[in-house]
Amino acid sequence: MLAKISGFIGAFWGIGGVLILFSQAAFRLSQRGIEAFSEQHVLTWYHWLTLVVCVVFMGYSEGYKAFQLAFCPRVASRAQYLSKNPHLLHVILAPAFCMGFFHATKKRIITSICVTAGVIFLILIVSQTPQPWRGLIDIGVVVGLAWGVMALIYFSWRAFTCKTFAYPPDLPEAVIKNKSIFE
């Protein structure tokens, strides 16, 4: 009974923590995006073109390719695994666990760290960009993050309501060899 409760808490905290992270980032960036449309910035045709390009590019590359096809199904799969196999450290650090920062394949851990470092690097670069350009870029990022939030909700719902959810959680090889997580 305690394992079932801690598994539920871990899965809920893992998914909820990632959703909070994305939602807070989208909210903060949307405020910067709105600043781009203030009266002090006169937008010309090339600003509007930049906005369209950023929204389409970030919607496709960040929202669809990164979040919908890869990140969100894996987060949901790792949360599903955590719900059935709770471990105290994994439950406490559930958002980091679900994002693949630990108790994952070596490739997953390296990829998670590298992607996070890349995102931080891009944040630092874009934060130095003057308005209205920064706001226009941020609006594209908000579209990608909003897509990611919706995809994570969808895949999490599927992971816990469908009989089969065949997305790999990228667990360490020793765990996969010793135990089937899809039972």
Side-chain angles (χ1 to χ4, degrees), residues 15-82:
I15 293 167
V18 175
L19 286 172
I20 289 168
L21 181 70
F22 287 175
S23 298
Q24 284 181 334
F27 178 76
R28 282 192 322 272
L29 291 175
S30 66
Q31 301 307 307
R32 303 246 174 170
I34 291 169
E35 288 174 17
F37 297 98
S38 68
E39 291 178 8
Q40 66 187 24
H41 303 293
V42 178
L43 300 181
T44 61
W45 68 268
Y46 50 86
H47 290 110
W48 291 102
L49 178 63
T50 300
L51 175 63
V52 169
V53 168
C54 285
V55 166
V56 170
F57 176 76
M58 294 306 285
Y60 178 75
S61 65
E62 182 184 7
Y64 176 69
K65 294 285 279 183
F67 286 135
Q68 184 176 331
L69 295 182
F71 182 80
C72 294
R74 186 174 42 261
V75 168
S77 181
R78 290 178 67 82
Q80 181 189 50
Y81 170 80
L82 184 58

Side-chain angles (χ1 to χ4, degrees), residues 62-177:
E62 182 184 7
Y64 176 69
K65 294 285 279 183
F67 286 135
Q68 184 176 331
L69 295 182
F71 182 80
C72 294
R74 186 174 42 261
V75 168
S77 181
R78 290 178 67 82
Q80 181 189 50
Y81 170 80
L82 184 58
S83 73
K84 295 175 182 175
N85 305 279
H87 180 277
L88 181 61
L89 183 63
H90 300 171
V91 171
I92 292 169
L93 301 174
F97 172 84
C98 289
M99 290 189 287
F101 284 108
F102 67 96
H103 194 69
T105 62
K106 186 176 180 179
K107 180 181 177 183
R108 170 56 35 221
I109 293 170
I110 291 169
T111 301
S112 295
I113 291 169
C114 289
V115 168
T116 302
V119 167
I120 291 169
F121 178 73
L122 290 174
I123 288 169
L124 292 173
I125 289 174
V126 172
S127 69
Q128 301 303 311
T129 306
Q131 283 285 23
W133 301 106
R134 179 180 180 178
L136 301 175
I137 294 167
D138 286 345
I139 290 171
V141 174
V142 168
V143 168
L145 286 169
W147 194 317
V149 165
M150 300 312 298
L152 184 53
I153 291 169
Y154 170 77
F155 284 108
S156 298
W157 173 77
R158 295 266 332 236
F160 290 97
T161 60
C162 295
K163 288 187 179 190
T164 59
F165 188 74
Y167 291 94
D170 290 348
L171 295 168
E173 292 300 320
V175 173
I176 294 169
K177 288 178 183 174

